[in-house]
Amino acid sequence: MLSIEEKKLPKVFSLSSLTKQFTLMDACELLNCGMEAIIEDEVTKCFAAEELPSWNLLTRTNANYHYISLRLSVMWFTGFFIRYFILLPFRVTLAVIGTLWLLLSTAVVGHFFEDGSFKRQLNDYVSLTCYRILSRSFSAIITYHDTENQAKAGGICVANHTSPIDIVILSCNNTYAMVGQSQGGFFGLMQRAMSRASDSHIWFERTEAKDRGAVLDRMRKNVGDDTKLPILIFPEGTCINNTSVMQFKKGSFEAGGIICPVAIKYDPRFGDPFWNSSKQGMVEYLIMMMTSWAIVVDVYFLPPMTRQENENAIEFANRVKAEIARKGGLVDLVWDGQLKRMKVKQAWKADQQMLYSRRFKVD
């Protein structure tokens, strides 16, 4: 054991004395971080449904049913009957009506009207009507705050991402140009229908590097153009469970113009909209949404932000992310959301090793 006087003396390492003065205490901090990461790291828990303090009678929050009491069992089966045999058929009907309305109305607007202010106004009306019908298919209860800050034509709207229905939630109050990967099948049909009504939408192939450059060029052309819809982007690039905000991709902040941040905060007590795409298919997810009690959400429109002098795209993205996290009551994380699908980069491991090595003062 070291004496009190020896503990107070600062360690100055040299190449000759490093092996003599090194103790197990020097590695305890690193070991502690490693044990915390194994038990519960701050990244992995962002990709799982948020745990509730109390059960809300949904299967999702109590997947393994256990008998507790007759009264509770009767309540659960009553709720199950209401959600699956009354609410679900009605909500599926609304979803079909809303989808058909989107396909038919955008086809009419695209084929029978020339580009101009009237076509844009008609597209706004069609879009708002469609998305409001779709929002009823999962009983969305939406509260918008500070709507005077929402994105205008030629602007860019960035928001934290929890679920595919984020698009529906935001589009119930404003019409946006979508930016996303080109899809096939039914979703590809919807993309083509939306593009007929407005040429502001941007679709790309994620695997082609040249398409990424073309997307940035298209965004720059849209910025500041009053005839173009405001662009809606989710810079995280993946769904997070609405407890945190993860790294924003810098590409969205290189186009210039005014950035309008939006914080989306869901109330999971009535239904958790988080989509774990690695474990759930789209059909399974939609059924889960339509059998929830309701989707209760607050949408906060933050004041517009612009890139400052001597501020690069990454610094600007981090500043916007911090504001969204603060307003939505979310944890601001520096980690990349793509860790859900890929391994940690070697460069990140090297950074941690470098930080630890700086603790040693070598003469």
Side-chain angles (χ1 to χ4, degrees), residues 159-201:
N160 57 301
H161 197 24
T162 303
S163 159
I165 67 172
D166 292 339
I167 297 173
V168 178
I169 297 299
L170 292 175
S171 297
C172 286
N173 195 56
N174 197 8
T175 306
Y176 294 97
M178 306 300 173
V179 179
Q181 184 176 359
S182 297
Q183 303 288 340
F186 177 73
F187 289 104
L189 180 65
M190 294 187 67
Q191 287 180 339
R192 291 189 293 272
M194 295 167 62
S195 297
R196 284 196 296 267
S198 174
D199 61 354
S200 299
H201 302 289

Side-chain angles (χ1 to χ4, degrees), residues 16-75:
S16 59
S17 63
L18 179 60
T19 56
K20 297 180 181 179
Q21 296 190 24
F22 182 83
T23 66
L24 287 178
M25 290 298 295
D26 295 323
C28 282
E29 182 179 348
L30 193 62
L31 291 172
N32 182 59
C33 293
M35 293 176 66
E36 289 180 349
I38 293 172
I39 297 172
E40 184 180 13
D41 68 281
E42 61 183 8
V43 176
T44 304
K45 65 182 181 181
C46 294
F47 306 131
E50 181 180 0
E51 292 293 334
L52 299 179
S54 60
W55 185 36
N56 59 3
L57 297 179
L58 291 176
T59 304
R60 178 171 186 165
T61 51
N62 192 10
N64 299 318
Y65 173 75
H66 297 285
Y67 176 81
I68 299 177
S69 68
L70 178 61
R71 179 181 299 178
L72 188 60
S73 298
V74 170
M75 290 176 60

Side-chain angles (χ1 to χ4, degrees), residues 4 20 73 113 142 155 173 205 209 213 217 225 232 248 256 275 279 285 309 313 320 330 358:
I4 297 177
K20 297 180 181 179
S73 298
F113 295 92
I142 313 170
N173 195 56
E205 291 292 343
D217 291 339
D225 189 343
L232 175 60
F248 278 9
W275 182 34
K279 295 183 178 180
Y285 172 76
E309 294 184 8
V320 173
L330 308 171
R358 288 174 182 170

Side-chain angles (χ1 to χ4, degrees), residues 76-271:
W76 185 86
F77 280 110
T78 302
F80 179 87
F81 178 82
I82 293 173
R83 291 187 291 112
Y84 279 86
F85 295 97
I86 298 177
L87 294 179
L88 180 59
F90 180 68
R91 290 170 173 174
V92 170
T93 302
L94 286 176
V96 171
I97 292 174
T99 303
L100 291 177
W101 172 256
L102 172 66
L103 296 175
L104 294 176
S105 58
T106 51
V108 171
V109 172
H111 283 293
F112 296 100
F113 295 92
E114 298 293 333
D115 293 338
S117 60
F118 179 74
K119 181 179 180 180
R120 290 194 295 272
Q121 293 176 4
L122 187 60
N123 179 56
D124 289 346
Y125 174 79
V126 165
S127 177
L128 291 173
T129 304
C130 164
Y131 285 112
R132 287 171 181 175
I133 295 174
L134 290 175
S135 71
R136 294 293 90 204
S137 66
F138 44 84
S139 298
I141 301 174
I142 313 170
T143 304
Y144 296 101
H145 304 268
D146 304 320
T147 54
E148 67 275 7
N149 295 326
Q150 67 182 2
K152 306 296 191 297
I156 299 177
C157 174
V158 297
N160 57 301
H161 197 24
T162 303
S163 159
I165 67 172
D166 292 339
I167 297 173
V168 178
I169 297 299
L170 292 175
S171 297
C172 286
N173 195 56
N174 197 8
T175 306
Y176 294 97
M178 306 300 173
V179 179
Q181 184 176 359
S182 297
Q183 303 288 340
F186 177 73
F187 289 104
L189 180 65
M190 294 187 67
Q191 287 180 339
R192 291 189 293 272
M194 295 167 62
S195 297
R196 284 196 296 267
S198 174
D199 61 354
S200 299
H201 302 289
I202 304 173
W203 313 117
F204 62 92
E205 291 292 343
R206 193 182 298 272
T207 56
E208 297 186 16
K210 62 179 182 180
D211 275 13
R212 292 195 289 269
V215 169
L216 186 57
D217 291 339
R218 284 281 305 276
M219 289 176 58
R220 285 171 174 163
K221 291 179 181 178
N222 282 17
V223 169
D225 189 343
D226 293 338
T227 64
K228 301 294 184 181
L229 297 174
I231 300 173
L232 175 60
I233 301 175
F234 301 103
E236 289 169 297
T238 189
C239 295
I240 312 299
N241 68 357
N242 208 230
T243 61
S244 310
V245 183
M246 303 193 79
Q247 183 187 88
F248 278 9
K249 303 296 186 294
K250 66 175 183 177
S252 309
F253 302 87
E254 292 178 331
I258 299 175
I259 299 293
C260 299
V262 176
I264 305 175
K265 181 60 178 176
Y266 292 94
D267 188 342
R269 292 177 298 175
F270 302 94

